[in-house]
Amino acid sequence: MLKVIFYQKSDRVNKNGESPIYARLNYNDKQISISTGQAISKERWASTNNLRNQLKIEKEIVIKNLLDLSQLNAAKKNY
């Protein structure tokens, strides 16, 4: 079964003060981590419960939608 976990690499910060979001994919005891190409501030990542809470800022809504699509595409490729 495919499991996707999104996490933030808080040790890396871009010029806007945002850290990149990575996806960790686990499948059949194999694990890879890939960059999603998205970034968010540490404070917003924490205050939105890793983008799980109700989102109010447009950029966060767009990022969440992109992450959801990435997760669906990864799941489709395993079936």
Side-chain angles (χ1 to χ4, degrees), residues 44-62:
R44 293 302 302 163
W45 182 256
S47 69
T48 60
N49 189 23
N50 304 352
L51 296 177
R52 293 185 191 121
N53 292 348
Q54 180 71 27
L55 304 175
K56 297 177 182 163
I57 298 174
E58 183 67 27
K59 179 181 178 183
E60 294 170 357
I61 294 168
V62 170

Side-chain angles (χ1 to χ4, degrees), residues 12-19 39-43 59:
R12 300 182 68 197
V13 180
N14 66 17
K15 63 182 177 181
N16 297 327
E18 298 175 329
S19 297
I40 191 170
S41 72
K42 295 178 199 178
E43 295 79 19
K59 179 181 178 183

Side-chain angles (χ1 to χ4, degrees), residues 1-2 7-8 12 16 19-20 23 32 34 37 47 56 60 62-63 67-69 71-72 75:
M1 177 178 186
L2 176 68
Y7 65 98
Q8 186 180 41
R12 300 182 68 197
N16 297 327
S19 297
I32 62 167
I34 57 171
S47 69
K56 297 177 182 163
E60 294 170 357
V62 170
I63 291 172
L67 297 179
D68 288 345
L69 284 172
Q71 188 169 5
L72 285 173

Side-chain angles (χ1 to χ4, degrees), residues 9-31:
K9 277 200 172 180
S10 57
D11 58 331
R12 300 182 68 197
V13 180
N14 66 17
K15 63 182 177 181
N16 297 327
E18 298 175 329
S19 297
I21 300 171
Y22 278 73
R24 181 177 299 126
L25 293 91
N26 295 301
Y27 185 71
N28 290 341
D29 297 326
K30 294 181 182 176
Q31 176 179 303

